[in-house]
Amino acid sequence: MRHIERRYGNIKNAQLLELEVGMIEYMCSSRELAHYVVQYCTLRSTPISNLQLQKILYFLQAVFGKSYGRLLFKERFEAWPYGPVLPDIYYEYSSYGSSLISEVYPELDTAMFSSIHVFLDNGIDFLRSKSPWDLVKLAHAEGSPWYSIWRNGDGRGSEIPNELLLGDTERQANESW
């Protein structure tokens, strides 16, 4: 956990957004986070591909959930040939093919990320420095949530339960990051 906190920044529970009754369950939608990631990379002149975006979203969700006991977004990943995928996000950017995505979203309310921007920015910087195929390999690790659901292709398109994803992150983070 200390390794993750050093890399992503320490987030105190009190900093997380609150509703009138208790803590919120999710920080944002997967689409809002995808727009944040794409815009962050675009503004730093390091655009990413759809494949990279999918893996960045996957590892941000997993590490955040394991570290802080809540999910960034409620949408669930599916097991696809190149790893975990959020279908709606995939199709939003599918017109790019394997090209790099360069987009800015003026309507994006980045204030919603104020309590977690250090975590997100550090995570994005770390993950985008990896090749897309290194991220795929990491997501495909034997015993990973994707591997457990994929089952040599029998689980193609099947949902990866968040509980499975959250339970595996510490091993992946400690072995790989």
Side-chain angles (χ1 to χ4, degrees), residues 28-162:
C28 58
S29 71
S30 61
R31 173 166 292 183
E32 290 164 332
L33 185 57
H35 288 184
Y36 181 90
V37 171
V38 167
Q39 179 170 288
Y40 180 89
C41 293
T42 298
L43 293 175
R44 282 151 187 80
S45 301
T46 56
I48 56 174
S49 68
N50 199 353
L51 180 63
Q52 287 171 294
L53 175 61
Q54 292 294 326
K55 302 313 160 258
I56 289 171
L57 293 171
Y58 173 74
F59 287 114
L60 288 175
Q61 172 84 314
V63 172
F64 186 86
K66 183 66 176 181
S67 299
Y68 302 106
R70 61 185 12 84
L71 298 172
L72 289 167
F73 51 86
K74 69 179 177 179
E75 295 83 0
R76 293 176 185 240
F77 290 89
E78 291 181 3
W80 285 25
Y82 293 115
V85 170
L86 293 164
D88 288 347
I89 304 304
Y90 172 82
Y91 292 119
E92 180 175 344
Y93 295 105
S94 63
S95 65
Y96 283 89
S98 61
S99 298
L100 299 178
I101 303 164
S102 186
E103 295 280 342
V104 175
Y105 301 94
E107 74 285 355
L108 180 64
D109 179 14
T110 57
M112 78 172 71
F113 301 107
S114 64
S115 66
I116 58 171
H117 82 88
V118 171
F119 170 86
L120 294 176
D121 297 353
N122 289 339
I124 295 165
D125 288 339
F126 177 75
L127 293 164
R128 74 177 173 172
S129 72
K130 305 285 184 195
S131 81
W133 301 111
D134 286 342
L135 294 174
V136 167
K137 183 179 176 184
L138 184 61
H140 281 199
E142 188 172 341
S144 71
W146 176 89
Y147 186 89
S148 299
I149 299 300
W150 181 251
R151 298 181 317 274
N152 293 319
D154 290 341
R156 177 186 215 121
S158 295
E159 191 174 89
I160 300 172
N162 284 333

Side-chain angles (χ1 to χ4, degrees), residues 17-25:
L17 301 174
E18 295 184 23
L19 291 176
E20 291 178 8
V21 181
M23 304 299 286
I24 64 168
E25 210 171 312

